[in-house]
Amino acid sequence: MKKIINRPEDYTDDMLRGIYAAHGDAVKYAAGDLRCYCTAHKTPGKVAIVTGGGTGHLPLFLGYVGEGMLDGCGVGSVFQSPSAEQIFQISKEVEAGAGVLYLYGNYTGDIMNFDMAAELCEMEDIETRSIVGADDVNSSTDPDKRRGVAGIFYMYKCAAAKAAEGGTLEEVFAAAQKAKEYTRTVGFALTPCVLPELGHANFTLEENEMAMGMGIHGEPGIWNGPVKTADEIAAESLETLLQDMPLVPEDEVALLINGLGATSVEELYILSGSVTRLLQEKGVKLYRTHVGEYATSMEMAGASISLCKIADEEMKRWLDAPVCTPFYCQK
Amino acid sequence: MKKIINRPEDYTDDMLRGIYAAHGDAVKYAAGDLRCYCTAHKTPGKVAIVTGGGTGHLPLFLGYVGEGMLDGCGVGSVFQSPSAEQIFQISKEVEAGAGVLYLYGNYTGDIMNFDMAAELCEMEDIETRSIVGADDVNSSTDPDKRRGVAGIFYMYKCAAAKAAEGGTLEEVFAAAQKAKEYTRTVGFALTPCVLPELGHANFTLEENEMAMGMGIHGEPGIWNGPVKTADEIAAESLETLLQDMPLVPEDEVALLINGLGATSVEELYILSGSVTRLLQEKGVKLYRTHVGEYATSMEMAGASISLCKIADEEMKRWLDAPVCTPFYCQK
């Protein structure tokens, strides 16, 4: 294992101390617990949005807390869920009179703890609603069982914009729901990552092998085989995406090419170029393209392709709304 | 070699096609040459700033072209210089009546070609001045012979802010010069990267070996040895930086923790926390901290630490000026 760290067991808290030291003007922690990550700027009357999940996916999840985006994030250990108590403490801190939306990935531990936190909130008369991202097409044929991956960015963006516009909890939930309905992701890995406390990769890939459909915690994909070209990967991924969410000429989409960690930004743009060309050949219009690291697996090599079909003008406004967190700024 | 690419020989141009397709509202190319990368929004009367260098370092160099930052970038092949003709064509395109500042890294091929481009400009009565970034302390004891690495970000930021304020070519040059004078960098690598057309790493590091002082093209550093902890790396790096640029209590600095590509953002924040703690122990104040990928070597693992000593209030204003390029936004 080659990592720039101190004690492996301090990985998450050392990271958090670094983040608070760098961005103390924007974020703080609640209840004396580093893992109760909150915006430093509460907006009275706004629906608060709280997310959460394991460490190891930056900028997911905590990186989306900030101006125009989310209000709090429960930070778990590497690839582990935050506790119900932590999510509850964050909710109490960021709740601003209009209720709290829980918006996170479709993972068992997270669901259990967010549900328990919602019960704790209910006892204190804090209203909550919950929705999970479940955009990873290859993870299940059943949309309800799909894992949440990079496509949750569009749910964050739409829900946060609606909240900033003064939407009610129900309306903010509906905005997240609309983004969820229109977003699909396909991902693939080229190398594994190493969990700091394990010290070795939890799976292996051969010298020239890739894993199509692998999850961001190394969950098995749908095939392992020789690394394909960017054009081939784009074609196969788009076929998967469009089988699940058909597009016709003149449809508009937002495209997110996400790097899993070790893959260079140069390669992400090569892949983005391949996907864009194929979409244009189908007569589909690109409304906005995001390329970079949005949801990683530490130093895993690989990428994901997310499409968010533009549902209406309202969604365009949400996607275009300016935001600025310590990890992600959009003008 | 595991990369998401098509033909290795198309790496740079495929990447550029992807970038133009994604960000056609912000950037364009001049003279029918993809590698003549220019802002799409020329500001009449402003000093134009042109940079350039080899591909493989995104967001360096072209990623800093955009609103509030640079105006053009000559794009070379992987780790190679752009041509004099390309730099000249870019200069003609972006020149807006107030001359052109050439601001790039201290590498032989780049110097030769930017100097030739300056001569071509002179023949067409376009005034130019040139300055190179040379912040990599471990690359030479002679400051004039040092390589330019991530610290060039501060030169870009200060020069661009001065240009946006309406500064003359001489004043914009002086802003870059001031940032150069007050900026130092130390970098280190944990793994090599693979040049697409070579297909293999151009050096090797053992299973638990790091290279202190290694350059962003794999230039040898000052020692190879077992990977140290984040705290140890921070302490040794700071000692090197402060020997070259002493700091006393109450001095203020901007800190840039830059990832070389494969290193996770989590680790960068762990390192940032270590550096911040040591600076605070010395009574040095952190004015602003940037953490992320600012100058990479494709999928090389490693990082660099840059300090920019705050010279005066003017420099704070320059560092704080909002900018937004397709690769880097700061509010």
Side-chain angles (χ1 to χ4, degrees):
Chain A
M1 175 175 63
K2 280 189 171 180
K3 290 181 189 281
I4 306 167
I5 60 173
N6 294 306
R7 297 194 317 161
E9 55 270 41
D10 295 332
Y11 185 88
T12 298
D13 290 335
D14 278 355
M15 171 199 79
L16 285 168
R17 277 185 277 265
I19 292 172
Y20 292 119
H23 308 302
D25 55 334
V27 291
K28 63 175 186 179
Y29 54 94
D33 183 345
L34 288 171
R35 299 181 179 212
C36 295
Y37 189 94
C38 300
T39 175
H41 306 286
K42 197 163 159 174
T43 308
K46 189 184 83 67
V47 171
I49 306 177
V50 173
T51 190
T55 290
H57 306 299
L58 283 180
L60 207 62
F61 298 87
L62 65 81
Y64 297 108
V65 172
E67 197 182 319
M69 282 290 264
L70 314 182
D71 300 281
C73 177
V75 181
S77 295
V78 176
F79 293 180
Q80 290 178 28
S81 181
S83 74
E85 177 65 21
Q86 287 164 337
I87 299 161
F88 170 58
Q89 291 297 340
I90 294 162
S91 306
K92 282 205 294 187
E93 174 64 35
V94 302
E95 196 276 330
V100 182
L101 180 69
Y102 289 161
L103 170 41
Y104 57 98
N106 195 16
Y107 298 93
T108 312
D110 293 320
I111 293 170
M112 194 176 71
N113 290 340
F114 272 96
D115 282 354
M116 281 174 58
E119 287 173 27
L120 294 169
C121 283
E122 201 180 346
M123 291 191 279
E124 301 221 359
D125 289 326
I126 297 172
E127 192 183 3
T128 65
R129 288 223 52 183
S130 293
I131 185 168
V132 293
D135 49 311
D136 190 353
V137 176
N138 278 325
S139 62
S140 175
T141 50
D142 179 352
D144 290 338
K145 292 186 177 159
R146 288 177 181 166
R147 298 184 294 258
V149 286
I152 200 172
F153 169 76
Y154 290 120
M155 294 175 71
Y156 288 159
K157 194 75 191 60
C158 291
K162 186 69 199 176
E165 288 173 1
T168 63
L169 181 54
E170 200 52 47
E171 289 169 337
V172 173
F173 174 87
Q177 179 65 45
K178 188 185 280 187
K180 177 177 179 171
E181 193 180 332
Y182 287 96
T183 299
R184 301 289 188 282
T185 299
V186 163
F188 46 90
L190 272 64
T191 68
C193 61
V194 174
L195 277 72
E197 293 194 60
L198 277 183
H200 59 83
N202 52 352
F203 64 92
T204 54
L205 287 169
E206 298 299 319
E207 177 53 32
N208 188 37
E209 191 183 27
M210 65 178 282
M212 172 57 74
M214 171 160 283
I216 59 174
H217 308 102
E219 298 93 337
I222 54 167
W223 60 257
N224 285 16
V227 176
K228 297 190 174 186
T229 67
D231 282 345
E232 289 165 347
I233 293 171
E236 177 174 338
S237 300
L238 269 188
E239 198 180 322
T240 304
L241 291 165
L242 300 194
Q243 269 174 5
D244 207 75
M245 180 176 69
L247 295 173
V248 297
E250 301 303 312
D251 275 348
E252 286 183 279
V253 296
L255 168 64
L256 170 59
I257 303 291
N258 168 59
L260 290 182
T263 290
S264 71
V265 179
E266 286 81 1
E267 290 165 75
L268 299 180
Y269 275 101
I270 291 172
L271 181 62
S272 179
S274 299
V275 173
T276 300
R277 202 163 44 248
L278 290 169
L279 285 170
Q280 286 169 341
E281 283 171 15
K282 293 176 195 298
V284 173
K285 293 178 175 172
L286 273 289
Y287 181 66
R288 196 181 248 276
T289 305
H290 293 91
V291 181
E293 293 183 358
Y294 288 77
T296 64
S297 294
M298 297 186 289
E299 75 284 4
M300 196 184 281
S304 66
I305 301 167
S306 301
L307 289 180
C308 174
K309 184 176 166 181
I310 305 294
D312 48 30
E313 292 303 309
E314 183 178 59
M315 187 184 267
K316 288 185 183 177
R317 191 177 72 233
W318 295 338
L319 294 179
D320 291 344
V323 302
C324 201
T325 83
F327 291 77
Y328 181 72
C329 259
Q330 174 184 309
K331 239 196 85 170
Chain B
M1 174 175 64
K2 278 188 170 180
K3 290 183 190 280
I4 305 166
I5 59 173
N6 295 305
R7 296 194 318 163
E9 56 269 39
D10 295 332
Y11 185 88
T12 299
D13 290 335
D14 278 356
M15 170 199 81
L16 285 167
R17 277 186 277 265
I19 293 173
Y20 292 119
H23 309 301
D25 53 335
V27 291
K28 63 174 186 179
Y29 53 95
D33 183 346
L34 288 170
R35 299 178 179 214
C36 295
Y37 189 93
C38 300
T39 175
H41 305 287
K42 196 164 162 173
T43 308
K46 189 183 83 68
V47 170
I49 305 176
V50 172
T51 192
T55 290
H57 306 299
L58 282 180
L60 206 63
F61 297 88
L62 64 82
Y64 297 107
V65 172
E67 198 181 319
M69 282 290 264
L70 315 182
D71 300 280
C73 177
V75 182
S77 294
V78 175
F79 293 1
Q80 291 178 27
S81 179
S83 73
E85 176 65 20
Q86 287 164 338
I87 299 161
F88 171 58
Q89 291 297 340
I90 293 162
S91 306
K92 283 206 294 187
E93 175 63 36
V94 302
E95 197 275 331
V100 182
L101 181 69
Y102 288 161
L103 170 42
Y104 57 98
N106 195 15
Y107 298 93
T108 312
D110 292 320
I111 294 170
M112 192 176 73
N113 290 340
F114 271 96
D115 283 352
M116 280 175 58
E119 288 174 26
L120 294 170
C121 282
E122 200 181 346
M123 290 190 278
E124 301 221 358
D125 290 326
I126 298 172
E127 192 184 2
T128 64
R129 289 224 49 182
S130 292
I131 185 167
V132 294
D135 50 310
D136 190 354
V137 176
N138 278 326
S139 62
S140 175
T141 50
D142 179 352
D144 290 338
K145 291 185 178 162
R146 288 176 181 167
R147 298 183 294 259
V149 286
I152 199 171
F153 169 75
Y154 291 120
M155 294 175 70
Y156 288 159
K157 194 75 189 61
C158 291
K162 186 69 198 177
E165 288 174 2
T168 63
L169 181 54
E170 200 52 48
E171 289 169 337
V172 173
F173 174 87
Q177 179 65 46
K178 187 185 282 186
K180 177 176 181 172
E181 192 180 332
Y182 287 96
T183 300
R184 302 289 188 281
T185 299
V186 163
F188 46 89
L190 274 64
T191 69
C193 61
V194 173
L195 277 71
E197 292 194 59
L198 276 182
H200 58 82
N202 51 352
F203 64 93
T204 54
L205 287 169
E206 297 301 318
E207 177 55 30
N208 188 37
E209 190 182 28
M210 66 179 281
M212 173 57 74
M214 171 161 283
I216 58 173
H217 309 103
E219 297 93 339
I222 54 166
W223 60 255
N224 284 17
V227 176
K228 298 190 174 185
T229 67
D231 282 345
E232 290 166 346
I233 293 171
E236 175 174 338
S237 300
L238 268 189
E239 198 181 320
T240 304
L241 290 166
L242 300 194
Q243 271 175 3
D244 207 74
M245 181 176 69
L247 295 173
V248 298
E250 302 302 311
D251 274 348
E252 286 183 281
V253 296
L255 168 64
L256 169 60
I257 304 289
N258 169 59
L260 290 183
T263 290
S264 71
V265 180
E266 286 80 2
E267 290 164 74
L268 299 181
Y269 274 101
I270 291 172
L271 181 63
S272 179
S274 300
V275 174
T276 300
R277 201 162 46 247
L278 290 169
L279 285 170
Q280 285 168 342
E281 283 171 16
K282 294 176 195 299
V284 174
K285 293 179 173 172
L286 272 291
Y287 180 68
R288 195 182 249 277
T289 305
H290 294 93
V291 182
E293 294 183 357
Y294 288 78
T296 64
S297 295
M298 297 187 287
E299 73 284 4
M300 195 185 280
S304 65
I305 302 168
S306 301
L307 290 180
C308 175
K309 183 176 167 182
I310 304 294
D312 49 29
E313 291 304 308
E314 183 178 60
M315 188 185 265
K316 288 185 182 176
R317 193 177 72 233
W318 295 339
L319 293 178
D320 291 344
V323 302
C324 201
T325 82
F327 291 77
Y328 182 72
C329 260
Q330 174 184 309
K331 236 195 89 170

